[in-house]
Amino acid sequence: DQQQQQQIMYSSTYVETKGRKLERARRIKTASTDGAGGNDVRFSGTLGAAPDGLPMLASLVRNGITFGTVEVQKDTCNTALAVSGSRVLALMEQSPPSEIAF
């Protein structure tokens, strides 16, 4: 009984997190209504506002209104990769992991 080993290869690309999907959906929706190709709609950042609470809170509220979600901080999953059983997960400290589909 031989164990099969799988290799994970690095590629310089972005992980398709919920945040990226929400931004893309918003751009497509805007493009279909304004006919101009859509605006470059992105989550407002929060790290630049830290440690000032009010600007950070304003960014989070703006994200919730813009994207219609309670997950107001974008999950960038830029920290590490982890293998859990047959799943590969992209990690970020402040958000749940995103599964990478193959």
Side-chain angles (χ1 to χ4, degrees):
D1 182 30
Q2 284 185 320
Q3 285 186 336
Q4 292 182 340
Q5 290 188 4
Q6 293 182 349
Q7 288 185 317
I8 298 175
M9 300 184 69
Y10 171 78
S11 173
S12 181
T13 188
Y14 293 98
V15 175
E16 285 298 312
T17 63
K18 288 180 186 177
R20 276 185 61 84
K21 290 176 184 175
L22 283 170
E23 287 175 340
R24 181 174 294 116
R26 180 69 181 198
R27 280 194 296 270
I28 291 170
K29 181 179 178 184
T30 305
S32 67
T33 58
D34 70 10
N39 295 327
D40 193 22
V41 179
R42 301 208 183 274
F43 274 78
S44 295
T46 55
L47 292 178
D52 298 325
L54 201 52
M56 187 166 86
L57 181 60
S59 290
L60 295 174
V61 169
R62 191 176 316 113
N63 290 340
I65 292 169
T66 301
F67 294 99
T69 182
V70 295
E71 295 180 26
V72 293
Q73 183 167 341
K74 184 177 179 183
D75 50 343
T76 57
C77 293
N78 61 354
T79 303
L81 295 176
V83 177
S84 177
S86 62
R87 303 178 342 158
V88 177
L89 306 172
L91 308 175
M92 177 183 172
E93 292 88 351
Q94 301 95 313
S95 300
S98 291
E99 185 172 355
I100 299 175
F102 292 99

